[in-house]
Amino acid sequence: MAKPVVAVVGRPNVGKSTLFNKLIGTRLSIVDDTPGVTRDRIYGDCEWLTHKFLLVDTGGIEPDSSDIILSQMRTQAEIAIETADVIIFVTNVRDGVVASDYEVAAMLQKSGKPIVLCVNKCDSIGDPDPDFYEFYNLGLGDPFAVSAAHGHGTGDMLDEVCKYFPESTDEEEDDEIINVAVIGKPNVGKSSLVNKISGENRAIVSDIAGTTRDTTDTFIENQYGKFNFIDTAGLRRKSKVNDAIEKYSIIRARMAVERANVCVIMIDAVEGFTEQDSKVAGIALEQGKACIIAVNKWDAVEKDGNTMNEYRKKLMNDFSFMSFAPIMFISAQTGQRIDKLFEMISFVHSQNSMRISTGRLNEVLSAATARVQPPTDKGKRLKIYYMTQASTRPPVFVFFVNNAELFHFSYQRYLENQIREVFGLDGTPVRFIIRERGDKKK
């Protein structure tokens, strides 16, 4: 199940970015006393008690401003509101309730979304400032006195936010269904692929880049299994993302990857590999998803007997950071190798979910360390006592060693290659956790 989305909104300079940074625990948003510093939405993962959610920081809302930048900020905030599950409306006790607060409150009420009213800059401990009670006039229920700078009151506010989250239905989901996110830059044929697979025009198909603004789900059941295809808006370079709706589609695509078990990374065969393709793939890699690189529009490429091999070699070099991902050449228009794509999706999903016994792992580890001795530094040699698998999706392996600093990246890569050689793990990233004696995690 995708994480709930919480949007932090309010007029400029009430402390939204400061609150955002406090809640996610890092200085991700620029904080400045100049109104309008945060122009684009910024998002980050947030966790409170047992709840995990996506927090979205927005530019300040100036309801009646004719200024071009401020009106664009307002548009972005409106899009964030539309797609959020819960809204934190931030106000400022030092300024009191101003006319813009009433206008923003009216706009939020029209959205029909749950609203949690935050009165920021209540920095003193004890009874709130008398002006705090003025915020009841906004008609949004009980306000929460918060100090974004110091963190006072944020716990009570987050308790209220989490009340509105939908109950988890993970246990009710069919474990046999493989969720597949179709990702890539605009106009590579993602919607065409989903339409071809489903046999109907499920998504709008157009040559205009960025036609798909949202994510759409298409359920398929065939001889290869049960699949839910998640078509996403294309990811563009930030400098090319000018339209406010398209900017939010980037967050939606990231959320789609989060929901997915397998990511099909689509490349335009005619255009070839671009820097943006590596960034799209990086999103899936960061989240540990099983991956397939699908080179679409292969029917439009002039070929000779060696074209595919040469193209594959080049892509293997371009995608050297995820050399585990299989490469397929397809055509969404003609249906070329679509059946093979289903088979590969099922296969890489099984690899991403693979669990290996500790005994088998240590047999491979023993043989690998005997073949290539662990590294030494200043006369001290790395000792690997044993390894075990901690989790799946992606496979995570824990190594218990005498000195984590001696476990160089090159030797980790060697052991990863040995594990892959024996067990496969095709199409999936793997993670290593290194622990010293005393359960000290590095």
Side-chain angles (χ1 to χ4, degrees):
M1 194 171 101
K3 293 178 185 175
V5 178
V6 178
V8 180
V9 302
R11 59 185 174 80
N13 210 28
V14 292
K16 297 184 300 299
S17 295
T18 304
L19 178 64
F20 174 86
N21 290 341
K22 176 63 71 174
L23 295 182
I24 67 169
T26 184
R27 191 181 170 87
L28 187 60
S29 280
I30 300 169
V31 179
D32 194 283
D33 288 335
T34 306
V37 168
T38 306
R39 293 185 178 177
D40 293 340
R41 284 176 307 278
I42 300 173
Y43 53 95
D45 292 318
C46 192
E47 186 171 349
W48 179 246
L49 301 178
T50 59
H51 301 281
K52 295 181 179 180
F53 55 95
L54 193 70
L55 194 67
V56 183
D57 188 17
T58 63
I61 302 173
E62 285 279 12
D64 297 323
S65 174
S66 59
D67 180 273
I68 293 175
I69 292 177
L70 289 175
S71 65
Q72 288 177 350
M73 288 161 53
R74 179 175 67 248
T75 302
Q76 291 210 22
E78 288 171 349
I79 296 164
I81 290 165
E82 182 183 336
T83 50
D85 296 293
V86 186
I87 298 161
I88 298 176
F89 176 25
V90 184
T91 57
N92 187 329
V93 74
R94 295 179 190 172
D95 298 338
V97 180
V98 300
S100 294
D101 289 329
Y102 285 108
E103 294 168 8
V104 174
M107 186 178 81
L108 295 180
Q109 286 174 315
K110 288 178 184 176
S111 73
K113 301 293 178 68
I115 302 162
V116 176
L117 178 57
C118 165
V119 182
N120 191 26
K121 303 189 180 179
C122 295
D123 297 333
S124 59
I125 298 174
D127 293 334
D129 188 296
D131 293 335
F132 168 79
Y133 298 99
E134 181 185 0
F135 289 88
Y136 279 94
N137 294 329
L138 292 172
L140 298 175
D142 294 333
F144 289 84
V146 168
S147 170
H150 305 295
H152 305 327
T154 54
D156 291 339
M157 181 192 70
L158 289 175
D159 285 342
E160 184 68 17
V161 167
C162 294
K163 287 180 183 178
Y164 296 106
F165 290 167
E167 292 185 13
S168 175
T169 57
D170 288 352
E171 62 275 6
E172 299 173 8
E173 293 180 2
D174 189 342
D175 289 337
E176 294 182 1
I177 297 176
I178 302 174
N179 290 306
V180 184
V182 184
I183 61 175
K185 63 179 184 288
N187 210 28
V188 293
K190 299 183 298 298
S191 297
S192 297
L193 175 64
V194 174
N195 288 345
K196 189 69 178 181
I197 286 171
S198 63
E200 60 176 297
N201 289 332
R202 183 72 173 81
I204 300 169
V205 178
S206 169
D207 288 335
I208 302 170
T211 303
T212 305
R213 300 293 194 182
D214 211 338
T215 58
T216 56
D217 286 17
T218 302
F219 179 77
I220 308 284
E221 185 172 1
N222 56 25
Q223 67 267 36
Y224 305 104
K226 299 177 182 178
F227 307 88
N228 180 42
F229 282 84
I230 309 165
D231 183 18
T232 63
L235 303 185
R236 293 188 177 197
R237 255 188 316 232
K238 193 168 179 63
S239 61
K240 295 282 184 74
V241 182
N242 296 316
D243 179 75
I245 298 173
E246 196 168 316
K247 284 180 178 177
Y248 198 75
S249 72
I250 293 173
I251 296 178
R252 276 305 187 70
R254 286 180 177 270
M255 292 168 62
V257 171
E258 188 176 281
R259 287 174 54 203
N261 306 116
V262 177
C263 292
V264 176
I265 303 160
M266 292 193 70
I267 308 295
D268 188 320
V270 178
E271 185 177 353
F273 175 84
T274 66
E275 180 187 355
Q276 188 60 10
D277 292 320
S278 67
K279 292 181 179 178
V280 171
I283 294 173
L285 179 62
E286 286 170 10
Q287 298 197 30
K289 305 299 181 179
C291 295
I292 299 167
I293 298 169
V295 184
N296 190 30
K297 307 181 186 178
W298 191 242
D299 57 310
V301 175
E302 292 186 12
K303 295 177 276 291
D304 58 32
N306 205 34
T307 303
M308 184 179 290
N309 287 336
E310 290 177 355
Y311 208 111
R312 187 186 301 274
K313 286 178 183 177
K314 185 179 183 307
L315 280 182
M316 288 174 67
N317 182 61
D318 294 330
F319 284 99
S320 58
F321 61 94
M322 54 188 313
S323 56
F324 57 82
I327 300 170
M328 296 190 65
F329 297 86
I330 66 169
S331 171
Q333 187 172 11
T334 66
Q336 184 182 18
R337 299 190 184 90
I338 298 300
D339 286 349
K340 295 286 186 182
L341 181 62
F342 277 110
E343 290 181 13
M344 186 60 73
I345 289 169
S346 297
F347 174 67
V348 298
H349 176 61
S350 68
Q351 298 287 289
N352 189 242
S353 308
M354 182 185 294
R355 183 169 287 280
I356 307 167
S357 70
T358 300
R360 292 285 314 281
L361 282 172
N362 284 281
E363 287 175 10
V364 173
L365 176 64
S366 178
T369 53
R371 188 177 300 116
V372 177
Q373 288 288 309
T376 60
D377 185 29
K378 296 178 181 177
K380 191 169 186 179
R381 183 176 295 280
L382 170 69
K383 292 181 181 178
I384 305 175
Y385 301 117
Y386 71 99
M387 67 177 294
T388 188
Q389 185 174 355
S391 61
T392 61
R393 299 186 187 179
V396 177
F397 301 102
V398 184
F399 291 82
F400 292 88
V401 303
N402 63 332
N403 188 330
E405 292 181 0
L406 294 175
F407 205 161
H408 301 153
F409 172 78
S410 58
Y411 200 71
Q412 290 184 37
R413 176 58 60 88
Y414 162 71
L415 290 180
E416 178 183 334
N417 290 338
Q418 295 300 304
I419 292 169
R420 287 186 183 277
E421 186 177 315
V422 175
F423 300 109
L425 296 175
D426 298 317
T428 178
V430 299
R431 304 277 192 262
F432 284 178
I433 296 174
I434 316 302
R435 288 184 180 164
E436 294 181 357
R437 273 181 173 168
D439 205 30
K440 183 180 178 183
K441 186 176 177 180
K442 292 287 184 182

